[in-house]
Amino acid sequence: MTTAGRPRVVLGVGGGIAAYKACEVLRRLTESGHQVQVLPTTSALNFVGKATFEALSGQPVYTGVFEDVPDVAHVRIGKEADLVVVVPATADLLARAAHGNANDMLTGTLLTARCPVLMIPAMHTEMWEHPATQDNVGLLRSRGVIVTEPASGRLTGKDTGKGRLADPAEIVDLARLLLARPDALPRDMSGKRVVVSAGGTREPLDPVRYLGNRSSGKQGYALARVAAQRGAQVTLVSAHTVALPEPAGVDIVNAGTALELREAMHKAAGEADIIVMAAAVADFRPVSRADHKIKKSDRDPDPVALTRNPDILAELVAARAAGKFRSIIVGFAAETGDETGDVLTHARAKLARKGCDLLVVNAVGEGKAFETEDNAGWLLAADGTERSIALGSKAQMAAGIWDFVLNSGTYPTGPAGVQ
């Protein structure tokens, strides 16, 4: 850390068209209190000029090892860094980093850095899938470098596929996670198939109105994001969210209502090793949906008849008991205390009632859990183990949940959980 307590982040920028997105990463990092030193490659300056990086960072920008020679900058910068983030990590830059080249300021810094290194790839699909690139990625990961899975989507020209740069907000979220917990992204979920639900369901009253809740989907998305970057194959069943970026390397299934989410979860569960029900599913839905907007009138409105939605978590537990799949099942509980008991009293009763392996408990209320950037809570396991989760980012909570699941001793063996 600097004397002012601001984390030192080195932002390396590779020479690809996605270099322009590094500006947004830089802006988000500096505005959230990080001191950022930008080290672009010479090729990167063909896409974004040095003046832009210097203006946004408030720091001089270096490219060659012969700049700032008296200060030996290519050694000093890496040694002093708390985190190195490379955006974008092109195929060429991955190759040079993997083989220890040090012919510019960025690659020299990568050799001297002793902090976490986070490389965010971006390139065409064919380049990402080429055996040379995959070998380089594997070599870097074997040395502890965190090379993330790229997103899928529109590339340069008319091409679409895997190789798109992750969203800048997601990159900054991962950077913050590593600054808080340098060990948060091991590749310990490789080969595991994970299904996560997220967001809040909406139950329509008419073409305009609906019954819903305040869930933003941020915690479920964080769980999916962290699992994917720890090597898991992730399906995210997404109800309504607050315009969150799609996590890179994750397959997304959209589901608006409770019944749609139920269908998607049962369909995905059959191949899953771990199922996480983080979505806030409406307990009730209208018995009927008006096919036109319900108008105001001088008379009192007719009461809205409601019917109970299925308990998806309980159904998944029952399906597992019937032998339909073998998975760890994780539930979520948003609780408040009342005259009959506190948050944990209600949560323990819910865990027993649902029959899942693990329950993540949030105390909800004004400024807590829903629609916030940070989260805290408890982990309750079926074997009686309980653990509190200190307040931190939702990515930190996600990492803690995955740590607990992987080390709980309840990981299944058999058809859907072969180890």
Side-chain angles (χ1 to χ4, degrees), residues 63-65 96 100-105 107-108:
T63 55
V65 294
R96 290 195 289 135
N101 288 6
N103 55 358
D104 61 12
M105 186 67 80
T107 51

Side-chain angles (χ1 to χ4, degrees), residues 136-355:
N136 291 330
V137 169
L139 185 56
L140 287 165
R141 285 174 173 167
S142 72
R143 295 174 182 158
V145 175
I146 300 158
V147 183
T148 65
E149 293 297 316
S152 296
R154 182 69 179 269
L155 306 172
T156 49
K158 298 179 180 179
D159 294 336
T160 299
K162 190 169 186 178
R164 183 181 174 87
L165 190 78
D167 189 272
E170 178 174 5
I171 296 169
V172 173
D173 197 36
L174 293 175
R176 290 181 59 212
L177 172 60
L178 290 171
L179 284 166
R181 266 199 59 186
D183 64 343
L185 294 176
R187 298 288 293 183
D188 57 354
M189 296 183 73
S190 295
K192 293 178 172 58
R193 291 159 293 187
V194 173
V195 177
V196 179
S197 69
T201 63
R202 289 180 167 184
E203 312 300 326
L205 290 162
D206 62 23
V208 177
R209 304 176 183 88
Y210 59 87
L211 297 178
N213 57 64
R214 293 174 55 196
S215 176
S216 65
K218 292 178 181 178
Q219 187 62 71
Y221 271 57
L223 282 159
R225 176 177 301 117
V226 171
Q229 300 309 340
R230 288 172 71 154
Q233 178 183 327
V234 182
T235 298
L236 175 61
V237 179
S238 178
H240 174 71
T241 68
V242 289
L244 300 176
E246 294 186 359
V250 171
D251 295 324
I252 295 185
V253 178
N254 292 309
T257 67
L259 295 181
E260 291 170 351
L261 190 135
R262 174 200 201 190
E263 180 181 359
M265 289 300 295
H266 279 281
K267 182 176 181 180
E271 299 297 325
D273 298 306
I274 308 170
I275 299 168
V276 182
M277 272 295 300
V281 181
D283 292 323
F284 301 93
R285 68 183 185 275
V287 170
S288 61
R289 175 184 182 274
D291 57 7
H292 59 275
K293 180 181 176 182
I294 301 171
K295 304 296 185 184
K296 289 181 180 178
S297 65
D298 292 332
R299 65 181 179 83
D300 291 335
D302 295 330
V304 176
L306 301 177
T307 187
R308 189 178 296 275
N309 272 323
D311 187 329
I312 302 171
L313 178 59
E315 285 185 349
L316 291 169
V317 171
R320 181 181 64 176
K324 293 184 178 180
F325 52 79
R326 292 179 58 84
S327 309
I328 290 178
I329 300 179
V330 181
F332 267 68
E335 295 288 351
T336 61
D338 57 26
E339 65 279 0
T340 66
D342 61 13
V343 168
L344 284 178
T345 298
H346 292 305
R348 293 182 188 114
K350 184 170 187 176
L351 175 62
R353 188 170 66 252
K354 299 291 187 180

